[in-house]
Amino acid sequence: MTRIRELNKWANANTCITLDLLRFFLGGFLFLKGISFIVDKKYLHEILNTVGNFGSEMLLIHYVAMAHMAGGVMIIIGFLTRWSIWVQLPILFGALIINFIGEFNTSDFVQSMLALATSIFFIFFGSGKHSVDYYLKMEE
């Protein structure tokens, strides 16, 4: 825990707008992915069918869509960023694994790999200086 606290202090001291933009783009990507899963349910249905017959498919579709949309907005504004990313991790790991179980889709693999790597980075880095988390911490 002290190591994460040290990384967070370093991040707040050495933050730049580029990392805030990266957080913003990650949140925007997840939000748009959630919207695309709602708009085009067939796409996610096809992805899940490559794995096999999945019993709770509609429940999973709704969980993925809502987690991406709510988490995306929270990551964009920097509110509870680490918690939001922890909710995204099982989805991103699942997206990565589905590529190896079913039909390999290079585009989906690259997207899920970049989103996963960026998410893991922000678990250690935190939300940065230009975020709601930092603002609320300074108000205390």
Side-chain angles (χ1 to χ4, degrees):
M1 190 63 170
T2 57
R3 181 74 176 147
I4 291 177
R5 198 170 290 136
E6 289 173 9
L7 285 171
N8 200 14
K9 284 181 183 178
W10 176 85
N12 287 336
N14 299 310
T15 192
C16 63
I17 196 73
T18 309
L19 294 175
D20 291 325
L21 286 173
L22 182 63
R23 187 192 76 233
F24 181 81
F25 287 131
L26 173 66
F29 170 74
L30 293 173
F31 181 77
L32 291 175
K33 221 31 167 166
I35 288 176
S36 74
F37 287 149
I38 288 178
V39 171
D40 191 12
K41 290 179 189 158
K42 242 181 179 177
Y43 174 65
L44 192 56
H45 176 72
E46 290 171 8
I47 291 173
L48 292 174
N49 274 344
T50 61
V51 178
N53 237 352
F54 191 70
S56 306
E57 186 176 318
M58 284 309 284
L59 179 66
L60 186 64
I61 289 172
H62 284 87
Y63 168 71
V64 169
M66 292 310 295
H68 274 346
M69 288 174 31
V73 169
M74 291 173 73
I75 292 169
I76 286 171
I77 63 174
F79 181 64
L80 298 174
T81 305
R82 287 188 175 116
W83 287 101
S84 302
I85 290 176
W86 278 111
V87 172
Q88 303 297 323
L89 285 181
I91 300 169
L92 295 173
F93 277 121
L96 207 63
I97 291 170
I98 283 177
N99 276 302
F100 293 109
I101 294 174
E103 182 180 324
F104 190 83
N105 187 337
T106 308
S107 173
D108 289 342
F109 177 74
V110 170
Q111 286 179 1
S112 59
M113 193 64 181
L114 286 174
L116 180 64
T118 308
S119 296
I120 290 172
F121 171 75
F122 279 111
I123 283 177
F124 292 106
F125 184 78
S127 55
K129 205 172 198 175
H130 304 97
S131 65
V132 173
D133 285 341
Y134 186 80
Y135 175 75
L136 292 176
K137 187 171 113 181
M138 288 296 141
E139 287 292 313
E140 292 177 353

Short mmCIF file of all heavy atoms in Angstrom, two decimals, residues 4-59:
data_model
loop_
_atom_site.label_atom_id
_atom_site.label_comp_id
_atom_site.label_asym_id
_atom_site.label_seq_id
_atom_site.Cartn_x
_atom_site.Cartn_y
_atom_site.Cartn_z
N ILE A 4 2.02 2.08 -3.54
CA ILE A 4 0.99 2.75 -4.35
C ILE A 4 0.86 4.21 -3.91
O ILE A 4 0.70 5.10 -4.75
CB ILE A 4 -0.36 2.01 -4.24
CG1 ILE A 4 -0.24 0.65 -4.95
CG2 ILE A 4 -1.49 2.82 -4.82
CD1 ILE A 4 -1.46 -0.21 -4.85
N ARG A 5 0.95 4.47 -2.62
CA ARG A 5 0.87 5.85 -2.12
C ARG A 5 2.04 6.67 -2.66
O ARG A 5 1.88 7.83 -3.06
CB ARG A 5 0.85 5.84 -0.60
CG ARG A 5 0.34 7.14 -0.03
CD ARG A 5 0.08 7.06 1.46
NE ARG A 5 -1.08 6.22 1.72
CZ ARG A 5 -1.15 5.29 2.66
NH1 ARG A 5 -0.13 5.08 3.48
NH2 ARG A 5 -2.23 4.58 2.83
N GLU A 6 3.24 6.07 -2.70
CA GLU A 6 4.40 6.77 -3.24
C GLU A 6 4.23 7.05 -4.74
O GLU A 6 4.56 8.14 -5.21
CB GLU A 6 5.66 5.93 -3.03
CG GLU A 6 6.13 5.85 -1.61
CD GLU A 6 7.27 4.87 -1.44
OE1 GLU A 6 7.81 4.37 -2.45
OE2 GLU A 6 7.63 4.59 -0.28
N LEU A 7 3.71 6.06 -5.48
CA LEU A 7 3.46 6.27 -6.91
C LEU A 7 2.42 7.36 -7.14
O LEU A 7 2.55 8.17 -8.06
CB LEU A 7 2.99 4.96 -7.56
CG LEU A 7 4.06 3.91 -7.80
CD1 LEU A 7 3.41 2.60 -8.24
CD2 LEU A 7 5.05 4.38 -8.84
N ASN A 8 1.41 7.39 -6.28
CA ASN A 8 0.38 8.41 -6.40
C ASN A 8 0.94 9.80 -6.13
O ASN A 8 0.61 10.76 -6.84
CB ASN A 8 -0.79 8.09 -5.46
CG ASN A 8 -2.05 8.78 -5.87
OD1 ASN A 8 -2.17 9.29 -6.97
ND2 ASN A 8 -3.02 8.78 -4.98
N LYS A 9 1.80 9.93 -5.13
CA LYS A 9 2.43 11.23 -4.84
C LYS A 9 3.31 11.66 -6.01
O LYS A 9 3.31 12.82 -6.40
CB LYS A 9 3.25 11.15 -3.56
CG LYS A 9 2.43 11.17 -2.31
CD LYS A 9 3.31 11.12 -1.08
CE LYS A 9 2.48 11.07 0.17
NZ LYS A 9 3.30 10.98 1.38
N TRP A 10 4.07 10.71 -6.57
CA TRP A 10 4.90 11.02 -7.72
C TRP A 10 4.04 11.45 -8.90
O TRP A 10 4.37 12.40 -9.61
CB TRP A 10 5.74 9.80 -8.12
CG TRP A 10 6.54 10.05 -9.35
CD1 TRP A 10 7.75 10.63 -9.44
CD2 TRP A 10 6.14 9.73 -10.69
NE1 TRP A 10 8.16 10.70 -10.75
CE2 TRP A 10 7.17 10.16 -11.54
CE3 TRP A 10 5.01 9.15 -11.25
CZ2 TRP A 10 7.12 10.01 -12.92
CZ3 TRP A 10 4.94 8.99 -12.63
CH2 TRP A 10 6.00 9.42 -13.44
N ALA A 11 2.94 10.75 -9.10
CA ALA A 11 2.06 11.06 -10.23
C ALA A 11 1.46 12.46 -10.08
O ALA A 11 1.38 13.21 -11.05
CB ALA A 11 0.96 10.02 -10.34
N ASN A 12 1.03 12.82 -8.89
CA ASN A 12 0.45 14.14 -8.68
C ASN A 12 1.49 15.24 -8.82
O ASN A 12 1.18 16.34 -9.26
CB ASN A 12 -0.22 14.21 -7.31
CG ASN A 12 -1.52 13.43 -7.27
OD1 ASN A 12 -2.15 13.19 -8.30
ND2 ASN A 12 -1.90 13.01 -6.08
N ALA A 13 2.75 14.95 -8.47
CA ALA A 13 3.80 15.95 -8.60
C ALA A 13 4.27 16.10 -10.05
O ALA A 13 4.66 17.18 -10.47
CB ALA A 13 4.99 15.58 -7.72
N ASN A 14 4.23 15.03 -10.82
CA ASN A 14 4.75 15.03 -12.18
C ASN A 14 3.68 14.83 -13.24
O ASN A 14 3.96 14.27 -14.30
CB ASN A 14 5.82 13.94 -12.33
CG ASN A 14 6.97 14.16 -11.41
OD1 ASN A 14 7.53 15.25 -11.36
ND2 ASN A 14 7.33 13.15 -10.63
N THR A 15 2.50 15.24 -12.95
CA THR A 15 1.41 15.01 -13.91
C THR A 15 1.51 15.98 -15.08
O THR A 15 2.06 17.07 -14.96
CB THR A 15 0.05 15.13 -13.21
OG1 THR A 15 -0.95 14.64 -14.10
CG2 THR A 15 -0.28 16.56 -12.85
N CYS A 16 1.00 15.54 -16.19
CA CYS A 16 0.96 16.40 -17.36
C CYS A 16 -0.39 16.18 -18.06
O CYS A 16 -1.10 15.22 -17.79
CB CYS A 16 2.11 16.11 -18.31
SG CYS A 16 2.10 14.46 -19.00
N ILE A 17 -0.71 17.06 -18.92
CA ILE A 17 -2.00 17.02 -19.60
C ILE A 17 -2.13 15.79 -20.49
O ILE A 17 -3.23 15.29 -20.72
CB ILE A 17 -2.25 18.34 -20.38
CG1 ILE A 17 -3.72 18.49 -20.76
CG2 ILE A 17 -1.38 18.41 -21.61
CD1 ILE A 17 -4.60 18.82 -19.61
N THR A 18 -1.01 15.24 -20.95
CA THR A 18 -1.04 14.06 -21.81
C THR A 18 -1.65 12.87 -21.09
O THR A 18 -2.46 12.14 -21.65
CB THR A 18 0.38 13.70 -22.28
OG1 THR A 18 0.99 14.86 -22.84
CG2 THR A 18 0.36 12.59 -23.29
N LEU A 19 -1.28 12.68 -19.83
CA LEU A 19 -1.83 11.56 -19.07
C LEU A 19 -3.30 11.77 -18.75
O LEU A 19 -4.08 10.81 -18.73
CB LEU A 19 -1.02 11.33 -17.80
CG LEU A 19 0.41 10.87 -18.05
CD1 LEU A 19 1.17 10.78 -16.75
CD2 LEU A 19 0.43 9.55 -18.78
N ASP A 20 -3.69 13.02 -18.52
CA ASP A 20 -5.11 13.30 -18.32
C ASP A 20 -5.90 13.04 -19.60
O ASP A 20 -7.02 12.53 -19.55
CB ASP A 20 -5.32 14.73 -17.85
CG ASP A 20 -4.79 14.94 -16.44
OD1 ASP A 20 -4.89 14.00 -15.63
OD2 ASP A 20 -4.28 16.03 -16.16
N LEU A 21 -5.32 13.38 -20.74
CA LEU A 21 -5.97 13.08 -22.01
C LEU A 21 -6.06 11.58 -22.26
O LEU A 21 -7.07 11.09 -22.78
CB LEU A 21 -5.24 13.76 -23.17
CG LEU A 21 -5.42 15.27 -23.28
CD1 LEU A 21 -4.51 15.84 -24.36
CD2 LEU A 21 -6.86 15.62 -23.57
N LEU A 22 -5.03 10.85 -21.87
CA LEU A 22 -5.06 9.39 -22.01
C LEU A 22 -6.19 8.80 -21.16
O LEU A 22 -6.92 7.92 -21.61
CB LEU A 22 -3.71 8.80 -21.60
CG LEU A 22 -3.57 7.29 -21.73
CD1 LEU A 22 -3.70 6.86 -23.19
CD2 LEU A 22 -2.23 6.84 -21.17
N ARG A 23 -6.34 9.30 -19.92
CA ARG A 23 -7.45 8.87 -19.06
C ARG A 23 -8.79 9.22 -19.70
O ARG A 23 -9.72 8.41 -19.72
CB ARG A 23 -7.33 9.51 -17.68
CG ARG A 23 -8.34 8.98 -16.69
CD ARG A 23 -8.44 9.79 -15.42
NE ARG A 23 -9.18 11.01 -15.69
CZ ARG A 23 -8.76 12.22 -15.43
NH1 ARG A 23 -7.59 12.42 -14.88
NH2 ARG A 23 -9.50 13.27 -15.70
N PHE A 24 -8.88 10.41 -20.26
CA PHE A 24 -10.11 10.85 -20.91
C PHE A 24 -10.43 9.95 -22.11
O PHE A 24 -11.58 9.53 -22.29
CB PHE A 24 -9.94 12.31 -21.36
CG PHE A 24 -11.15 12.87 -22.04
CD1 PHE A 24 -12.21 13.35 -21.28
CD2 PHE A 24 -11.24 12.92 -23.41
CE1 PHE A 24 -13.33 13.87 -21.90
CE2 PHE A 24 -12.35 13.44 -24.04
CZ PHE A 24 -13.41 13.91 -23.27
N PHE A 25 -9.44 9.62 -22.91
CA PHE A 25 -9.68 8.76 -24.08
C PHE A 25 -10.03 7.34 -23.68
O PHE A 25 -10.84 6.69 -24.33
CB PHE A 25 -8.48 8.77 -25.03
CG PHE A 25 -8.35 10.04 -25.80
CD1 PHE A 25 -7.14 10.71 -25.86
CD2 PHE A 25 -9.43 10.60 -26.46
CE1 PHE A 25 -7.02 11.89 -26.57
CE2 PHE A 25 -9.32 11.78 -27.17
CZ PHE A 25 -8.11 12.44 -27.23
N LEU A 26 -9.43 6.83 -22.61
CA LEU A 26 -9.79 5.49 -22.12
C LEU A 26 -11.24 5.47 -21.68
O LEU A 26 -12.00 4.57 -22.05
CB LEU A 26 -8.88 5.07 -20.95
CG LEU A 26 -9.27 3.77 -20.26
CD1 LEU A 26 -9.11 2.59 -21.21
CD2 LEU A 26 -8.45 3.57 -18.99
N GLY A 27 -11.64 6.47 -20.90
CA GLY A 27 -13.03 6.54 -20.46
C GLY A 27 -13.99 6.72 -21.63
O GLY A 27 -15.06 6.09 -21.67
N GLY A 28 -13.61 7.55 -22.60
CA GLY A 28 -14.45 7.74 -23.78
C GLY A 28 -14.57 6.47 -24.61
O GLY A 28 -15.64 6.13 -25.10
N PHE A 29 -13.46 5.74 -24.75
CA PHE A 29 -13.48 4.48 -25.48
C PHE A 29 -14.42 3.49 -24.81
O PHE A 29 -15.24 2.84 -25.48
CB PHE A 29 -12.07 3.89 -25.57
CG PHE A 29 -12.03 2.49 -26.11
CD1 PHE A 29 -12.23 2.24 -27.45
CD2 PHE A 29 -11.81 1.42 -25.25
CE1 PHE A 29 -12.21 0.95 -27.94
CE2 PHE A 29 -11.78 0.13 -25.72
CZ PHE A 29 -11.99 -0.11 -27.07
N LEU A 30 -14.32 3.36 -23.49
CA LEU A 30 -15.18 2.42 -22.77
C LEU A 30 -16.64 2.84 -22.86
O LEU A 30 -17.53 1.99 -23.03
CB LEU A 30 -14.74 2.30 -21.31
CG LEU A 30 -13.38 1.66 -21.08
CD1 LEU A 30 -12.98 1.77 -19.62
CD2 LEU A 30 -13.38 0.22 -21.55
N PHE A 31 -16.90 4.14 -22.74
CA PHE A 31 -18.28 4.63 -22.84
C PHE A 31 -18.86 4.32 -24.22
O PHE A 31 -19.98 3.82 -24.34
CB PHE A 31 -18.32 6.13 -22.56
CG PHE A 31 -19.70 6.70 -22.61
CD1 PHE A 31 -20.58 6.51 -21.55
CD2 PHE A 31 -20.13 7.43 -23.71
CE1 PHE A 31 -21.86 7.04 -21.60
CE2 PHE A 31 -21.41 7.96 -23.76
CZ PHE A 31 -22.28 7.76 -22.70
N LEU A 32 -18.10 4.61 -25.26
CA LEU A 32 -18.58 4.34 -26.63
C LEU A 32 -18.74 2.85 -26.89
O LEU A 32 -19.65 2.43 -27.62
CB LEU A 32 -17.65 4.98 -27.65
CG LEU A 32 -17.66 6.50 -27.67
CD1 LEU A 32 -16.61 7.02 -28.64
CD2 LEU A 32 -19.03 7.03 -28.03
N LYS A 33 -17.87 2.04 -26.30
CA LYS A 33 -18.00 0.58 -26.44
C LYS A 33 -19.29 0.11 -25.77
O LYS A 33 -19.98 -0.76 -26.29
CB LYS A 33 -16.79 -0.08 -25.80
CG LYS A 33 -16.15 -1.23 -26.45
CD LYS A 33 -16.18 -1.29 -27.92
CE LYS A 33 -15.23 -2.33 -28.40
NZ LYS A 33 -15.41 -2.68 -29.78
N GLY A 34 -19.61 0.67 -24.62
CA GLY A 34 -20.87 0.34 -23.95
C GLY A 34 -22.08 0.72 -24.78
O GLY A 34 -23.04 -0.05 -24.88
N ILE A 35 -22.03 1.89 -25.39
CA ILE A 35 -23.14 2.31 -26.26
C ILE A 35 -23.24 1.39 -27.47
O ILE A 35 -24.34 1.00 -27.87
CB ILE A 35 -22.96 3.78 -26.69
CG1 ILE A 35 -23.23 4.70 -25.50
CG2 ILE A 35 -23.88 4.13 -27.85
CD1 ILE A 35 -23.00 6.16 -25.78
N SER A 36 -22.10 1.02 -28.04
CA SER A 36 -22.15 0.14 -29.21
C SER A 36 -22.71 -1.23 -28.86
O SER A 36 -23.36 -1.86 -29.68
CB SER A 36 -20.76 0.00 -29.85
OG SER A 36 -19.93 -0.83 -29.07
N PHE A 37 -22.49 -1.71 -27.64
CA PHE A 37 -23.06 -2.99 -27.23
C PHE A 37 -24.57 -2.89 -27.05
O PHE A 37 -25.29 -3.86 -27.27
CB PHE A 37 -22.42 -3.49 -25.93
CG PHE A 37 -21.02 -4.00 -26.11
CD1 PHE A 37 -20.10 -3.89 -25.10
CD2 PHE A 37 -20.62 -4.59 -27.30
CE1 PHE A 37 -18.81 -4.35 -25.25
CE2 PHE A 37 -19.32 -5.05 -27.46
CZ PHE A 37 -18.42 -4.94 -26.44
N ILE A 38 -25.07 -1.72 -26.66
CA ILE A 38 -26.52 -1.55 -26.53
C ILE A 38 -27.16 -1.40 -27.90
O ILE A 38 -28.20 -2.01 -28.19
CB ILE A 38 -26.85 -0.32 -25.64
CG1 ILE A 38 -26.52 -0.65 -24.20
CG2 ILE A 38 -28.31 0.08 -25.78
CD1 ILE A 38 -26.74 0.49 -23.25
N VAL A 39 -26.55 -0.60 -28.75
CA VAL A 39 -27.11 -0.33 -30.07
C VAL A 39 -27.05 -1.58 -30.95
O VAL A 39 -28.02 -1.90 -31.65
CB VAL A 39 -26.38 0.85 -30.75
CG1 VAL A 39 -26.78 1.00 -32.19
CG2 VAL A 39 -26.64 2.13 -29.98
N ASP A 40 -25.94 -2.28 -30.91
CA ASP A 40 -25.75 -3.44 -31.78
C ASP A 40 -25.59 -4.70 -30.92
O ASP A 40 -24.49 -5.23 -30.77
CB ASP A 40 -24.52 -3.23 -32.66
CG ASP A 40 -24.41 -4.25 -33.78
OD1 ASP A 40 -25.39 -4.98 -34.00
OD2 ASP A 40 -23.34 -4.30 -34.40
N LYS A 41 -26.70 -5.17 -30.35
CA LYS A 41 -26.67 -6.35 -29.49
C LYS A 41 -26.23 -7.59 -30.27
O LYS A 41 -25.68 -8.52 -29.70
CB LYS A 41 -28.03 -6.59 -28.87
CG LYS A 41 -28.39 -5.58 -27.84
CD LYS A 41 -29.76 -5.84 -27.27
CE LYS A 41 -30.17 -4.68 -26.41
NZ LYS A 41 -31.58 -4.57 -26.23
N LYS A 42 -26.48 -7.58 -31.56
CA LYS A 42 -26.09 -8.73 -32.39
C LYS A 42 -24.59 -8.94 -32.39
O LYS A 42 -24.12 -10.07 -32.40
CB LYS A 42 -26.56 -8.49 -33.84
CG LYS A 42 -27.53 -9.46 -34.34
CD LYS A 42 -27.89 -9.13 -35.77
CE LYS A 42 -28.87 -10.17 -36.25
NZ LYS A 42 -29.31 -9.90 -37.59
N TYR A 43 -23.84 -7.85 -32.36
CA TYR A 43 -22.37 -7.93 -32.37
C TYR A 43 -21.86 -8.68 -31.15
O TYR A 43 -21.06 -9.61 -31.26
CB TYR A 43 -21.77 -6.53 -32.44
CG TYR A 43 -20.28 -6.48 -32.33
CD1 TYR A 43 -19.47 -7.04 -33.31
CD2 TYR A 43 -19.66 -5.89 -31.24
CE1 TYR A 43 -18.09 -7.01 -33.21
CE2 TYR A 43 -18.29 -5.86 -31.12
CZ TYR A 43 -17.51 -6.41 -32.11
OH TYR A 43 -16.15 -6.39 -31.99
N LEU A 44 -22.32 -8.29 -29.96
CA LEU A 44 -21.89 -8.97 -28.74
C LEU A 44 -22.43 -10.39 -28.71
O LEU A 44 -21.76 -11.30 -28.24
CB LEU A 44 -22.33 -8.18 -27.51
CG LEU A 44 -21.73 -8.60 -26.18
CD1 LEU A 44 -20.21 -8.57 -26.23
CD2 LEU A 44 -22.22 -7.73 -25.05
N HIS A 45 -23.63 -10.59 -29.23
CA HIS A 45 -24.21 -11.94 -29.32
C HIS A 45 -23.33 -12.84 -30.19
O HIS A 45 -23.07 -13.99 -29.83
CB HIS A 45 -25.63 -11.85 -29.90
CG HIS A 45 -26.28 -13.16 -30.12
ND1 HIS A 45 -26.72 -13.95 -29.09
CD2 HIS A 45 -26.55 -13.84 -31.25
CE1 HIS A 45 -27.24 -15.05 -29.58
NE2 HIS A 45 -27.16 -15.01 -30.90
N GLU A 46 -22.84 -12.32 -31.30
CA GLU A 46 -21.95 -13.10 -32.17
C GLU A 46 -20.63 -13.40 -31.49
O GLU A 46 -20.08 -14.50 -31.64
CB GLU A 46 -21.70 -12.35 -33.48
CG GLU A 46 -22.90 -12.29 -34.39
CD GLU A 46 -22.70 -11.35 -35.58
OE1 GLU A 46 -21.56 -10.86 -35.76
OE2 GLU A 46 -23.68 -11.10 -36.29
N ILE A 47 -20.10 -12.43 -30.76
CA ILE A 47 -18.85 -12.65 -30.04
C ILE A 47 -19.03 -13.77 -29.01
O ILE A 47 -18.19 -14.66 -28.89
CB ILE A 47 -18.36 -11.35 -29.36
CG1 ILE A 47 -17.93 -10.34 -30.40
CG2 ILE A 47 -17.22 -11.63 -28.40
CD1 ILE A 47 -17.60 -8.98 -29.83
N LEU A 48 -20.13 -13.71 -28.27
CA LEU A 48 -20.36 -14.72 -27.24
C LEU A 48 -20.68 -16.08 -27.83
O LEU A 48 -20.42 -17.11 -27.21
CB LEU A 48 -21.48 -14.27 -26.30
CG LEU A 48 -21.14 -13.06 -25.43
CD1 LEU A 48 -22.35 -12.61 -24.64
CD2 LEU A 48 -19.99 -13.37 -24.50
N ASN A 49 -21.24 -16.13 -29.02
CA ASN A 49 -21.54 -17.40 -29.67
C ASN A 49 -20.27 -18.13 -30.11
O ASN A 49 -20.31 -19.34 -30.30
CB ASN A 49 -22.47 -17.21 -30.87
CG ASN A 49 -23.91 -17.21 -30.45
OD1 ASN A 49 -24.25 -17.62 -29.36
ND2 ASN A 49 -24.77 -16.71 -31.32
N THR A 50 -19.17 -17.42 -30.31
CA THR A 50 -17.93 -18.10 -30.67
C THR A 50 -17.43 -18.97 -29.53
O THR A 50 -16.74 -19.95 -29.75
CB THR A 50 -16.83 -17.09 -31.06
OG1 THR A 50 -16.55 -16.24 -29.96
CG2 THR A 50 -17.25 -16.26 -32.26
N VAL A 51 -17.77 -18.60 -28.30
CA VAL A 51 -17.37 -19.37 -27.13
C VAL A 51 -18.25 -20.61 -26.98
O VAL A 51 -17.81 -21.64 -26.51
CB VAL A 51 -17.42 -18.49 -25.86
CG1 VAL A 51 -17.05 -19.28 -24.64
CG2 VAL A 51 -16.54 -17.28 -26.02
N GLY A 52 -19.49 -20.51 -27.35
CA GLY A 52 -20.43 -21.61 -27.19
C GLY A 52 -21.76 -21.09 -26.70
O GLY A 52 -21.99 -19.88 -26.63
N ASN A 53 -22.63 -21.98 -26.33
CA ASN A 53 -23.94 -21.59 -25.82
C ASN A 53 -23.77 -21.06 -24.40
O ASN A 53 -23.32 -21.77 -23.51
CB ASN A 53 -24.88 -22.79 -25.82
CG ASN A 53 -26.13 -22.50 -26.62
OD1 ASN A 53 -26.35 -21.38 -27.03
ND2 ASN A 53 -26.92 -23.52 -26.83
N PHE A 54 -24.12 -19.82 -24.23
CA PHE A 54 -23.95 -19.17 -22.94
C PHE A 54 -25.33 -18.88 -22.39
O PHE A 54 -26.13 -18.18 -23.01
CB PHE A 54 -23.12 -17.89 -23.11
CG PHE A 54 -22.68 -17.29 -21.82
CD1 PHE A 54 -21.71 -17.92 -21.07
CD2 PHE A 54 -23.23 -16.12 -21.37
CE1 PHE A 54 -21.30 -17.38 -19.87
CE2 PHE A 54 -22.82 -15.57 -20.18
CZ PHE A 54 -21.85 -16.20 -19.43
N GLY A 55 -25.65 -19.39 -21.20
CA GLY A 55 -27.00 -19.32 -20.66
C GLY A 55 -27.47 -17.92 -20.30
O GLY A 55 -28.58 -17.53 -20.60
N SER A 56 -26.66 -17.16 -19.65
CA SER A 56 -27.05 -15.83 -19.16
C SER A 56 -26.54 -14.73 -20.07
O SER A 56 -26.00 -13.73 -19.61
CB SER A 56 -26.54 -15.63 -17.74
OG SER A 56 -26.94 -16.66 -16.91
N GLU A 57 -26.73 -14.88 -21.33
CA GLU A 57 -26.16 -13.95 -22.30
C GLU A 57 -26.71 -12.54 -22.16
O GLU A 57 -25.95 -11.57 -22.18
CB GLU A 57 -26.42 -14.47 -23.70
CG GLU A 57 -25.75 -13.68 -24.77
CD GLU A 57 -25.96 -14.30 -26.13
OE1 GLU A 57 -25.87 -15.53 -26.24
OE2 GLU A 57 -26.23 -13.54 -27.06
N MET A 58 -28.01 -12.39 -22.00
CA MET A 58 -28.59 -11.04 -21.89
C MET A 58 -28.13 -10.34 -20.60
O MET A 58 -27.89 -9.14 -20.60
CB MET A 58 -30.12 -11.10 -21.93
CG MET A 58 -30.67 -11.34 -23.32
SD MET A 58 -30.01 -10.19 -24.56
CE MET A 58 -30.91 -8.72 -24.19
N LEU A 59 -28.00 -11.11 -19.53
CA LEU A 59 -27.49 -10.53 -18.29
C LEU A 59 -26.07 -10.02 -18.48
O LEU A 59 -25.71 -8.92 -18.05
CB LEU A 59 -27.54 -11.57 -17.16
CG LEU A 59 -27.02 -11.13 -15.80
CD1 LEU A 59 -27.91 -10.05 -15.22
CD2 LEU A 59 -26.93 -12.31 -14.87
#
